[in-house]
């Protein structure tokens, strides 16, 4: 057990290692879970691959970034560390319904990442802590989360996703469905607002959005190419809505955002 705990601690920074996820936070919503049997046993897998995404939320400039994606789950998901679902614990499980606590990173932003950000200053790494509730019967996956930010931002967020799962072959699983995200004034002003100091440095007009909305569709494919090797492909495209869509950072970039990812995962056990 000590080795397992040490391994979990060592793998935690892997979730924090991908700048593409850091800037957009789209990928965890898009990615399907690593398929693994044995829900009543520990499941441990790790993937590595590439992401193609905007270099900040609202940008129209793209970058390709390597990513490491762990997938570690205790029996019945009492504990999980996942590229898609974050770090969490399940406190309630009634048939296909689960509920619990979740912690996600929200990476900041460096004003040197893009010319559009010059003068805006940097945004520090933030954590987002809250709760989740999900329903999964093997055909439908529904999940909702509500989280409060701390550190780099102090806004509240809520997210919902719906997936239809298709088992097109014993080794191939497809999934697709809509996504919806909301952010409070605190979140919107941090990532899309322009205060007086930022206005003076950047040349943008002062802008104070009250909310952030993002609506998208996502799809993923999981292909078991060998007994322990899985190829995972995923993508998402959506639109920034609400007052944040009128931000000068979005007008300089694009309200349409997307991400495409491809990873190769190895399942250690079961």
């Amino acid at each position: 057990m000590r080795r397992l705990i040490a391994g979990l601690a060592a793998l935690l920074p892997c979730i924090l290692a991908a700048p593409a996820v850091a800037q957009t936070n789209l990928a965890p919503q898009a990615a399907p879970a690593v398929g693994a049997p044995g829900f009543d046993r520990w499941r441990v897998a790790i993937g590595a691959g590439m992401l193609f995404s905007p270099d900040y939320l609202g940008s129209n400039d793209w970058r390709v970034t390597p990513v490491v994606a762990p997938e570690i789950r205790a029996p019945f998901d009492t504990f999980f560390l996942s590229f898609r679902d974050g770090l969490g614990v399940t406190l309630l499980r009634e048939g296909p319904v689960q509920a619990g606590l979740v912690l996600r990173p929200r990476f900041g932003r460096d004003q040197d990442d893009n010319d559009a950000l010059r003068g805006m200053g940097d945004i520090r790494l933030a954590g987002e802590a809250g709760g989740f509730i999900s329903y999964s019967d093997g055909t439908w996956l529904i999940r909702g989360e509500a989280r409060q930010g701390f550190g780099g931002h102090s806004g509240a967020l809520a997210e919902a996703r719906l997936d239809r799962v298709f088992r097109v072959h014993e080794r191939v699983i497809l999934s697709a469905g809509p996504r919806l995200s909301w952010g409070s004034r605190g979140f919107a002003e941090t990532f899309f607002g322009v205060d007086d100091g930022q206005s003076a440095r950047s040349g943008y007009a002062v802008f104070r959005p009250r909310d952030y909305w993002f609506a998208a569709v996502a799809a993923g494919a999981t292909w078991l190419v060998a007994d322990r090797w899985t190829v995972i492909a995923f993508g998402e495209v959506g639109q920034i809505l609400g007052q944040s869509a009128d931000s000068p950072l979005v007008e300089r970039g694009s309200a349409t955002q997307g991400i495409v990812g491809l990873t190769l995962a190895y399942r250690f056990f079961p």
Side-chain angles (χ1 to χ4, degrees):
M1 180 57 71
R2 288 183 178 179
R3 289 184 180 180
L4 181 59
I5 294 174
L8 298 180
L11 282 172
L12 181 58
C14 294
I15 288 184
L16 311 180
V21 179
Q23 300 296 354
T24 66
N25 281 82
L26 299 177
Q29 289 294 311
V34 176
F39 188 68
D40 59 345
R41 290 178 285 174
W42 278 92
R43 292 150 289 154
V44 177
I46 189 166
M50 304 294 290
L51 291 172
F52 181 60
S53 72
D55 57 4
Y56 71 87
L57 187 56
S59 176
N60 61 353
D61 293 321
W62 296 70
R63 65 172 60 174
V64 178
T65 311
V67 63
V68 177
E71 185 80 10
I72 302 170
R73 295 180 181 272
F76 305 107
D77 277 2
T78 52
F79 166 89
F80 56 85
L81 172 63
S82 168
F83 177 67
R84 186 191 68 172
D85 295 329
L87 173 66
V89 294
T90 300
L91 303 178
L92 170 68
R93 182 172 179 268
E94 292 290 340
V97 177
Q98 297 185 51
L101 304 177
V102 65
L103 174 66
R104 292 185 183 273
R106 173 79 61 169
F107 284 73
R109 191 178 69 199
D110 192 317
Q111 67 175 351
D112 295 329
D113 288 341
N114 192 296
D115 288 343
L117 300 175
R118 297 293 169 84
M120 293 296 295
D122 299 337
I123 300 175
R124 295 183 295 113
L125 170 71
E128 296 174 0
F132 74 90
I133 184 168
S134 68
Y135 171 91
S136 178
D137 63 3
T139 300
W140 293 96
L141 171 62
I142 306 170
R143 186 181 178 95
E145 292 187 13
R147 305 187 303 273
Q148 175 64 46
F150 60 92
H153 79 86
S154 58
L157 297 104
E159 294 176 344
R161 69 174 186 252
L162 169 66
D163 280 294
R164 176 67 163 87
V165 180
F166 305 89
R167 291 185 175 270
V168 298
H169 186 274
E170 63 180 4
R171 288 180 173 266
V172 179
I173 300 173
L174 305 180
S175 63
R179 309 285 190 262
L180 183 63
S181 301
W182 167 85
S184 69
R185 180 191 292 269
F187 178 86
E189 288 190 344
T190 299
F191 287 92
F192 299 95
V194 181
D195 63 23
D196 293 335
Q198 291 170 326
S199 177
R201 295 190 302 268
S202 67
Y204 294 132
V206 173
F207 181 73
R208 295 186 173 90
R210 292 193 302 269
D211 59 12
Y212 162 78
W213 290 90
F214 185 78
V217 291
T222 302
W223 176 28
L224 182 63
V225 296
D227 286 344
R228 293 190 176 276
W229 290 97
T230 303
V231 173
I232 301 169
F234 56 91
E236 179 175 336
V237 62
Q239 193 80 4
I240 297 173
L241 304 169
Q243 287 202 339
S244 292
D246 297 324
S247 168
L249 295 177
V250 177
E251 292 179 349
R252 179 84 176 266
S254 175
T256 301
Q257 300 286 279
I259 193 164
V260 177
L262 181 67
T263 64
L264 175 65
Y266 180 80
R267 178 168 53 86
F268 293 94
F269 57 90

